[in-house]
Amino acid sequence: MLDLAIIGGGPAGLTAGLYATRGGLEEVVMFEKGMPGGQITQSSEVENYPGIVDIVSGMELMQEWPKQCMRFGLKHEMAEVVRVSRPEGLCYKIELSDGSSVGAKSVIVCTGSTPRRAGFDGEEKFFGRGVSTCATCDGFFYRDKEVAVIGGGDTALEEALFLAKICSKVYLIHRRDEFRAAPSTVERVMANEKIFPVLNSVPVEVYGDEMGVSGLKVKKKESGEILDLPVPGVFVFVGSDVNNGVLKQEDGSFLCDMSEWGEVVVDLAMRTSEEGLFAAGDVRIMAPKQVVCAAGDGANAAIGAIAYVEHLKREKLC
Ligand SMILES: Cc1cc2nc3c(=O)[nH]c(=O)nc-3n(C[C@H](O)[C@H](O)[C@H](O)COP(=O)(O)OP(=O)(O)OC[C@H]3O[C@@H](n4cnc5c(N)ncnc54)[C@H](O)[C@@H]3O)c2cc1C
């Protein structure tokens, strides 16, 4: 029986592992289906992690994190978790994709979220090298330059407003003839001199070279006309999928309370509605979707898990 199972080995999971092992939990396993590091390893440039002065790639940022955790006894199992349940009593059951399962006194879910792709040519090739899904992360790289934003909902418009503070011009490309965002947000966008809505239009191809993106081709839906926008940065905001599948039970319900968008509901200590079950990072409600925030969540959740497991042990409950 594990003291703690951590699901996911991104910034949240690794930091949870560091704090849990260093804080005295003995059997702590981090289940990660790929290499540890999380989605930031797809980024070619990160410059907003505190204490890291130079611009580094996501891979460089994360490379020492696993080593630091392993030093304190965190075990990494390269395995995909398919379900976390609580079949009987207080303990959790972690089911893996190979059919095996393991028991745990406490669980921290750190499975992140996956930004959706819009599906135009070159999007995947240039992802992290000019195509981005995060204005807070990458907007600054395009200071005083022109960028394009794809999307018509609240996030796309809020991010366009954010980028307009940094960039010289923001093309806002939306496939419909009106935006789906809150009316007050639409009003702010329309009043912003730096934002140029390109409505009834879809992105068809982002292009560039090994240095990154140099332009985006956009098709006007009615006329078929192609606009060639000379932008080095393309920001895609067409929604994101929360990786909450591990919490889905056999009957289709979730193990703990979830928001209407499928994010895990937590309190300020990262506790879910189920005692001993925590969630940290991009998978939780109101996640700022930043490495530093995910790491902070992981530490916070681990501190809660330590207290919970100690209580179980004291009371001989699990
Ligand atoms: C291209 C790009 C650039 C970014 N740039 C920045 C930036 O400059 N600054 C910044 O602060 N943030 C940036 N971000 C955002 C940042 O990467 C995320 O906010 C952060 O990684 C979230 O951490 P997390 O641990 O919650 O989740 P993730 O990093 O998504 O990690 C989740 C991990 O869980 C694993 N996992 C999922 N499901 C399972 C399962 N069932 N079983 C086992 N393992 C599972 C995944 O393989 C993954 O490794 C960027 C993101 C991207 C994609």
Side-chain angles (χ1 to χ4, degrees):
M1 170 75 58
L2 303 178
D3 272 354
L4 172 64
I6 297 167
I7 326 287
L14 285 163
T15 311
L18 173 66
Y19 274 69
T21 47
R22 202 167 170 272
L25 291 189
E26 275 155 16
E27 282 300 313
V28 184
V29 173
M30 181 184 78
F31 296 91
E32 165 57 59
K33 62 182 175 181
M35 291 306 289
Q39 56 176 295
I40 191 63
T41 56
Q42 297 169 40
S43 175
S44 59
E45 293 181 309
V46 184
E47 67 170 357
N48 63 357
Y49 195 79
I52 308 289
V53 180
D54 297 325
I55 297 177
V56 291
S57 70
M59 206 64 108
E60 286 165 334
L61 177 70
M62 298 309 295
Q63 68 186 3
E64 300 293 335
W65 292 39
K67 259 189 250 168
Q68 189 186 11
C69 306
M70 305 308 162
R71 228 179 87 204
F72 295 103
L74 177 69
K75 293 184 187 123
H76 166 217
E77 197 168 322
M78 198 187 261
E80 182 176 10
V81 173
V82 289
R83 183 174 298 124
V84 179
S85 59
R86 207 174 199 181
E88 55 196 48
L90 284 167
C91 296
Y92 290 92
K93 181 179 175 191
I94 316 297
E95 292 173 54
L96 305 180
S97 59
D98 67 1
S100 64
S101 65
V102 57
K105 295 187 173 100
S106 181
V107 179
I108 306 179
V109 176
C110 308
T111 44
S113 68
T114 311
R116 281 189 210 137
R117 306 289 199 258
F120 50 89
D121 284 350
E123 184 182 21
E124 208 54 54
K125 180 175 166 194
F126 288 104
F127 191 73
R129 297 193 301 124
V131 175
S132 170
T133 50
C134 177
T136 311
C137 311
D138 298 327
F140 199 78
F141 295 122
Y142 305 101
R143 194 178 177 83
D144 298 328
K145 294 184 179 149
E146 298 188 1
V147 294
V149 167
I150 319 280
D154 284 294
T155 307
L157 270 62
E158 291 290 353
E159 299 285 47
L161 286 162
F162 177 89
L163 288 165
K165 287 186 245 166
I166 304 168
C167 306
S168 59
K169 191 171 188 175
V170 179
Y171 295 101
L172 180 53
I173 296 141
H174 183 41
R175 62 194 161 133
R176 300 191 204 285
D177 55 8
E178 53 185 43
F179 295 114
R180 285 177 289 112
S184 60
T185 312
V186 177
E187 233 170 74
R188 279 160 56 219
V189 161
M190 298 314 267
N192 192 306
E193 289 176 350
K194 285 193 184 169
I195 302 179
F196 291 76
V198 183
L199 296 173
N200 264 325
S201 302
V202 288
V204 285
E205 185 192 354
V206 63
Y207 59 89
D209 55 27
E210 59 287 346
M211 300 299 289
V213 166
S214 44
L216 176 73
K217 289 188 180 154
V218 175
K219 186 171 156 188
K220 290 251 164 214
K221 273 168 71 185
E222 274 165 19
S223 62
E225 183 196 348
I226 300 284
L227 307 177
D228 198 345
L229 308 177
V231 290
V234 177
F235 290 82
V236 180
F237 302 110
V238 293
S240 75
D241 296 313
V242 182
N243 302 328
N244 59 21
V246 299
L247 293 168
K248 216 172 216 169
Q249 306 301 288
E250 270 182 71
D251 64 4
S253 66
F254 283 100
L255 179 59
C256 59
D257 291 349
M258 310 292 280
S259 75
E260 61 182 298
W261 295 285
E263 306 141 321
V264 184
V265 175
V266 290
D267 65 10
L268 287 175
M270 303 300 131
R271 287 180 293 225
T272 70
S273 57
E274 200 72 19
E275 232 193 339
L277 177 68
F278 300 78
D282 285 10
V283 73
R284 67 145 166 110
I285 43 160
M286 297 184 74
K289 299 203 168 79
Q290 294 291 289
V291 175
V292 67
C293 304
D297 282 3
N300 203 352
I303 290 166
I306 294 168
Y308 177 75
V309 172
E310 280 174 355
H311 158 76
L312 289 185
K313 285 183 178 170
R314 237 185 355 259
E315 305 295 327
K316 299 191 174 33
L317 289 171
C318 185

